[in-house]
Amino acid sequence: MGEDVGGTRPSSASRTAGSLAGCRCKPGVGRRGREFRRPDSRVAVAMFFSQAGARPRRWEASQSEHKKWVEVFKACDEENKGYLSREDFKVAVVMLFGYKPSKIEADSVMSSVDPNTSGILLKEFLDIVRKKNEAQLYRNEIRHIFTAFDRHYRGYLTLEDFKKAFKQVAPKLSERIILEVFREVDQDSDGHVSFKDFEYAMNYGQK
């Protein structure tokens, strides 16, 4: 969790809340296909998450990172085939990211490769690794924003967390709008917004 510095909000939360007052965004549909309850709440949710500080960004690999990726590709292509098989790819992911990809992830990757090849070529592999790094970076930024709002480091956000953040950086934003945002993000209506709920809504705001 981030550090609470005597009531001064971290910059991500400030940028997020401070940009709400003037934003106008299109309404949307919530998770599980549930439509947002009221027009005001639809707009509130859209403005909140479309204006949050995190943005997907292109990962520019350094020379050393690029070299490492190529070395991993070659190490996993033990038979010098010029491509990675499904199992080769799984080993490469373990080497670079420290986890074994699920069947769904492996299926998705293999279905996206050039059908005229027998596996994942080096160019395709480098692109896959770059995109995975981009996704990881974006998730870290979302986590930073969540931490900025989690004033008491509990691992979830309450309505009071939302109110306190907005009161300091966007005092003209009505409590009704803040309440509508919170209610839509709190999908199971238990009064807590988990990181999973927050991440989902942040991703929705980028669509």
Side-chain angles (χ1 to χ4, degrees):
M1 292 294 181
E3 182 181 358
D4 192 358
V5 284
T8 299
R9 302 300 298 128
S11 59
S12 295
S14 299
R15 289 196 307 270
T16 299
S19 60
L20 293 184
C23 176
R24 294 293 181 269
C25 307
K26 294 180 180 179
V29 176
R31 185 165 34 181
R32 307 183 191 94
R34 177 175 67 82
E35 294 211 6
F36 296 147
R37 288 182 282 268
R38 290 167 38 182
D40 284 349
S41 65
R42 294 199 302 264
V43 172
V45 171
M47 74 167 79
F48 182 88
F49 292 106
S50 67
Q51 294 300 308
R55 290 288 184 274
R57 293 182 294 176
R58 181 177 176 83
W59 178 280
E60 298 295 343
S62 66
Q63 186 174 359
S64 60
E65 287 173 327
H66 185 273
K67 181 180 179 181
K68 179 181 179 181
W69 299 352
V70 173
E71 289 175 348
V72 168
F73 179 90
K74 292 179 178 179
C76 293
D77 180 18
E78 294 181 346
E79 300 176 0
N80 296 317
K81 306 180 297 297
Y83 63 84
L84 298 184
S85 67
R86 181 191 184 91
E87 292 306 312
D88 294 337
F89 170 72
K90 289 182 178 180
V91 174
V93 171
V94 171
M95 292 176 66
L96 287 173
F97 297 97
Y99 77 93
K100 183 178 179 180
S102 65
K103 180 179 184 300
I104 294 176
E105 180 179 352
D107 287 345
S108 176
V109 169
M110 297 308 296
S111 66
S112 67
V113 301
D114 187 341
N116 296 318
T117 62
S118 300
I120 305 171
L121 301 177
L122 175 59
K123 182 179 179 180
E124 294 173 323
F125 176 73
L126 295 177
D127 189 53
I128 291 169
V129 173
R130 176 183 60 79
K131 289 179 179 178
K132 287 181 71 64
N133 275 286
E134 288 173 354
Q136 191 173 66
L137 176 63
Y138 179 51
R139 192 169 194 269
N140 289 342
E141 291 184 350
I142 294 175
R143 171 66 73 177
H144 178 71
I145 294 172
F146 180 86
T147 299
F149 277 93
D150 182 15
R151 297 172 62 93
H152 301 291
Y153 319 128
R154 293 168 296 200
Y156 60 83
L157 304 179
T158 66
L159 177 58
E160 287 306 308
D161 292 327
F162 273 60
K163 285 182 177 180
K164 288 178 181 178
F166 283 111
K167 183 177 181 180
Q168 190 167 28
V169 298
K172 294 184 179 180
L173 199 65
S174 71
E175 287 200 7
R176 180 180 63 82
I177 294 297
I178 298 172
L179 178 60
E180 291 293 349
V181 171
F182 184 83
R183 284 177 173 173
E184 293 302 341
V185 181
D186 179 19
Q187 294 280 323
D188 56 5
S189 301
D190 66 350
H192 296 163
V193 171
S194 67
F195 174 70
K196 184 176 181 181
D197 286 337
F198 191 80
E199 181 182 29
Y200 170 86
M202 286 285 287
N203 288 325
Y204 161 75
Q206 298 301 327
K207 295 179 181 179

